Amino acid sequence: MSDPTPLGEEGDRPIIIQGGGSVDIFLSPNFKEEPGDSSGYEQAGGESKDKKFKNLAVNLVEVQIDDGKPIALNKNSKITIKVTRS
């Protein structure tokens, strides 16, 4: 998977979640871990300044936004979430 493209001054890099035999989560370096976090994700090593988390024990199968209908995902689906600074 290629690195996310910076969005420029107005926003941060998108959050990317991709899953197949594992689930990878790529976050901008601006995201910080909350004290006492017990999410079960281990930060994967690497040279990138982005934060990458990986869970080898799960598959990404669906996404649901608020109370909407769950959307089934295919193997290796990729979800991109764009954020802006407030």
Side-chain angles (χ1 to χ4, degrees), residues 15-33:
I15 300 164
I16 298 175
I17 304 168
Q18 184 170 16
S22 65
V23 175
D24 295 328
I25 302 173
F26 295 83
L27 299 173
S28 160
N30 295 326
F31 279 82
K32 305 290 182 217
E33 282 188 70

Side-chain angles (χ1 to χ4, degrees), residues 29-44:
N30 295 326
F31 279 82
K32 305 290 182 217
E33 282 188 70
E34 290 291 319
D37 179 34
S38 59
S39 62
Y41 287 104
E42 295 292 326
Q43 186 166 356

Side-chain angles (χ1 to χ4, degrees), residues 7-81:
L7 295 178
E9 295 296 319
E10 67 211 35
D12 215 339
R13 288 186 184 190
I15 300 164
I16 298 175
I17 304 168
Q18 184 170 16
S22 65
V23 175
D24 295 328
I25 302 173
F26 295 83
L27 299 173
S28 160
N30 295 326
F31 279 82
K32 305 290 182 217
E33 282 188 70
E34 290 291 319
D37 179 34
S38 59
S39 62
Y41 287 104
E42 295 292 326
Q43 186 166 356
E47 298 297 318
S48 173
K49 292 183 181 181
D50 290 337
K51 295 181 181 190
K52 178 181 177 184
F53 294 84
K54 183 173 231 173
N55 187 333
L56 296 172
V58 298
N59 286 301
L60 190 61
V61 295
E62 73 179 24
V63 63
Q64 181 175 357
I65 301 170
D66 297 327
D67 293 327
K69 182 178 177 182
I71 302 165
L73 301 170
N74 298 320
K75 185 176 181 179
N76 293 321
S77 287
K78 179 171 118 177
I79 301 166
T80 301
I81 302 168

